[in-house]
Amino acid sequence: MKIIKSLLAGASLALVASISQAATSGNTLATVDPEADRSAMQSYFQKRFPQVALSDYVNGIYALDAPSREQWQSIEEFPPYEFDIEEGEALFNKTFANGKSYADCFANGGIGIRQNFPRWDASQGKVVTLELAINQCRKANGEEALGWKKGKIAQISAYMAFTSRDNVFDVQIPNDKAKAAYLDGKQSFYARRGQLNMSCANCHIAGAYIKIRADLPGPTLGHVTHFPVFRSKWGELGTLQRRYGGCQKNVRGVPQKTQGEKFRNLEFFQTYMSNGLVVNGPGARK
Amino acid sequence: MKKTISLVAALMMVSGVVAAHPFNEAFNEQRAMYGKGHSFTWNGQTYITDHPEEIAAAVVANAANATALLAAAKDQYTQVLAVDFGWTLTKNLLKSAGKALETGEFRKSMDLSAQAQYHSRMGIAQYHQSQAEWIMAVPE
């Protein structure tokens, strides 16, 4: 019994110490500072890989690993996503049964706007990703929602990204509710999960450019800029949140819901980290 | 004695903050090296490397016990899913435990239920640990 009491006392002290340390570290709505986070993230990678230009992070692991870059450049000579862009354009321009189209749902007719997503939607009180906006557009016009991870939604998203290439990501956090969503996404990014007890950060910050079996994980900086991607492993195009689910399965965790609040907030955080980088999607990855 | 040991082990694993305690490190090391059922001494006390779920399953293998263990494992799984920290293998463990129960393989069913319940308990502990410690991983 003495042991149990000692252990509980120790646990209490450790908990108090942990909370007091974290209270000033950006884990509360009062202390979180997205710009400071972004600056710290970029600074981390620039210190670790000083030879890599910040703008090159949009190329993911190919910014860091020369042999992989060479292979990727060969693939990009005949981009595997090329037909998907064409198909995406056709789908985007196809009118709905009511005579309207996607262009009626988005600013600037949906052209060159990828860099503004995900965005905080004040009227809905939540983060809206590009794929969510596409399906919301469909539903608003009496059409069936598309599946979230691949196929038509990825093609439409790919076309919209293509029309936005070289536009600079500019995700905004306009109020405290948006900041809370950002904080939730930040927490998800750093929280270990699954039987392998790993977080996104384990592979894509500390583990970036360090082999996991035969693979080299890419840096999180610039991660979102090239989605959706044609992944050789998939043999087709897929969305960012399809990849999120795959990552969570890889660490033997039950994947969270695609386009659920957790994944949307994670995408919000991760995209904010890449603010200032350009859109270069769709991309090709291994 | 067994009750004390399993209580201590349970307390150790409930919170991630506690997980960093030297006892847990010793327990995990001994468990990794020798598997379950191994005795070891820590701070003058003798412990065994069994998880609480394994201790709970170390009873007579019959339909009633297997049913109760499976129900407890399913309940724990519901709890871990509620905090969104489930592990992928757990669902199949529960399924296999259910099948074994149906075919009268009570020992197998009880062992699988114990494993599933352990997974879920660890998932819940991981959730609490993540809540407390995620900020430590943020680059400054």
Side-chain angles (χ1 to χ4, degrees):
Chain A
M1 208 54 201
K2 195 177 173 185
I3 293 174
I4 297 170
K5 279 182 182 172
S6 305
L7 291 175
L8 287 174
S12 305
L13 284 171
L15 186 62
V16 170
S18 171
I19 289 168
S20 60
Q21 184 180 347
T24 55
S25 305
N27 66 337
T28 65
L29 196 55
T31 60
V32 70
D33 182 345
E35 263 310 283
D37 288 345
R38 190 175 70 90
S39 175
M41 174 84 78
Q42 295 189 352
S43 169
Y44 170 85
F45 282 111
Q46 285 183 300
K47 278 181 192 160
R48 193 165 153 203
F49 304 108
Q51 76 284 9
V52 177
L54 184 62
S55 58
D56 207 20
Y57 278 92
V58 297
N59 296 319
I61 190 60
Y62 310 125
L64 309 181
D65 186 57
S68 300
R69 188 184 186 103
E70 204 175 320
Q71 292 168 25
W72 169 66
Q73 282 172 332
S74 298
I75 292 170
E76 286 282 353
E77 284 176 20
F78 298 97
Y81 49 77
E82 208 165 23
F83 296 118
D84 288 308
I85 294 174
E86 287 173 15
E87 187 61 30
E89 182 176 10
L91 289 165
F92 182 86
N93 290 323
K94 192 178 172 187
T95 51
F96 301 132
N98 65 2
K100 292 193 172 180
S101 72
Y102 291 107
D104 295 307
C105 297
F106 293 94
N108 199 39
I111 303 301
I113 57 163
R114 170 70 183 93
Q115 69 281 0
N116 301 321
F117 285 88
R119 65 181 182 81
W120 176 257
D121 188 302
S123 61
Q124 296 184 57
K126 67 183 183 184
V127 170
V128 174
T129 62
L130 182 58
E131 286 78 16
L132 178 59
I134 289 169
N135 263 345
Q136 286 183 336
C137 177
R138 291 182 63 82
K139 281 187 182 173
N141 287 288
E143 302 287 328
E144 291 275 316
L146 300 170
W148 292 119
K149 297 179 185 176
K150 58 185 179 181
K152 289 178 181 174
I153 203 161
Q155 289 171 325
I156 295 164
S157 177
Y159 169 67
M160 293 177 80
F162 186 71
T163 66
S164 312
R165 276 191 171 179
D166 293 329
N167 291 352
V168 177
F169 270 98
D170 185 26
V171 170
Q172 299 289 322
I173 300 175
N175 54 43
D176 272 359
K177 283 184 179 174
K179 199 191 268 190
Y182 166 89
L183 178 60
D184 184 57
K186 179 181 173 182
Q187 179 172 350
S188 286
F189 186 83
Y190 291 102
R192 290 171 179 266
R193 56 186 301 115
Q195 195 173 0
L196 301 188
N197 199 31
M198 293 175 78
S199 68
C200 306
N202 284 140
C203 286
H204 299 294
I205 293 187
Y209 195 42
I210 292 174
K211 268 194 174 169
I212 295 181
R213 299 181 72 181
D215 284 325
L216 286 168
T220 188
L221 189 58
H223 237 162
V224 299
T225 63
H226 44 267
F227 273 84
V229 298
F230 186 102
R231 206 165 166 237
S232 303
K233 184 184 170 183
W234 294 337
E236 62 182 357
L237 204 67
T239 62
L240 178 63
Q241 296 203 8
R242 178 183 181 181
R243 191 71 193 95
Y244 283 167
C247 282
Q248 292 192 333
K249 278 186 199 165
N250 287 348
V251 299
R252 293 193 194 166
V254 175
Q256 290 169 301
K257 193 179 171 190
T258 308
Q259 294 296 337
E261 187 179 25
K262 284 288 178 185
F263 271 4
R264 282 186 285 105
N265 290 349
L266 176 60
E267 189 174 332
F268 194 45
F269 163 76
Q270 220 191 352
T271 310
Y272 190 90
M273 290 297 99
S274 290
N275 263 0
L277 299 179
V278 297
V279 177
N280 62 335
R285 290 295 181 272
K286 279 195 283 185
Chain B
M1 187 61 186
K2 257 191 175 180
K3 270 186 183 173
T4 308
I5 292 167
S6 59
L7 181 57
V8 171
L11 284 168
M12 287 299 174
M13 293 171 191
V14 163
S15 159
V17 178
V18 185
H21 194 277
F23 173 82
N24 224 28
E25 286 177 15
F27 181 93
N28 289 338
E29 188 181 298
Q30 294 289 318
R31 171 82 187 196
M33 284 198 295
Y34 303 108
K36 65 179 180 180
H38 170 72
S39 297
F40 68 99
T41 305
W42 186 79
N43 273 8
Q45 293 275 351
T46 302
Y47 300 89
I48 58 169
T49 53
D50 291 359
H51 294 135
E53 294 81 6
E54 291 165 341
I55 293 167
V59 292
V60 178
N62 58 31
N65 285 338
T67 304
L69 276 174
L70 182 57
K74 281 181 176 173
D75 181 56
Q76 190 91 315
Y77 187 54
T78 304
Q79 289 177 43
V80 75
L81 290 183
V83 294
D84 232 357
F85 268 68
W87 292 1
T88 47
L89 301 182
T90 321
K91 194 175 177 181
N92 277 341
L93 287 170
L94 288 169
K95 202 173 165 185
S96 301
K99 277 186 182 169
L101 177 60
E102 279 172 20
T103 55
E105 298 171 277
F106 302 130
R107 174 45 52 202
K108 184 179 173 184
S109 174
M110 289 164 74
D111 289 344
L112 288 167
S113 291
Q115 201 179 340
Q117 195 172 355
Y118 169 76
H119 277 208
S120 300
R121 184 166 59 81
M122 286 297 101
I124 292 167
Q126 185 181 50
Y127 162 74
H128 289 296
Q129 183 170 2
S130 288
Q131 294 287 309
E133 296 180 0
W134 67 269
I135 194 66
M136 308 301 174
V138 179
E140 289 184 355

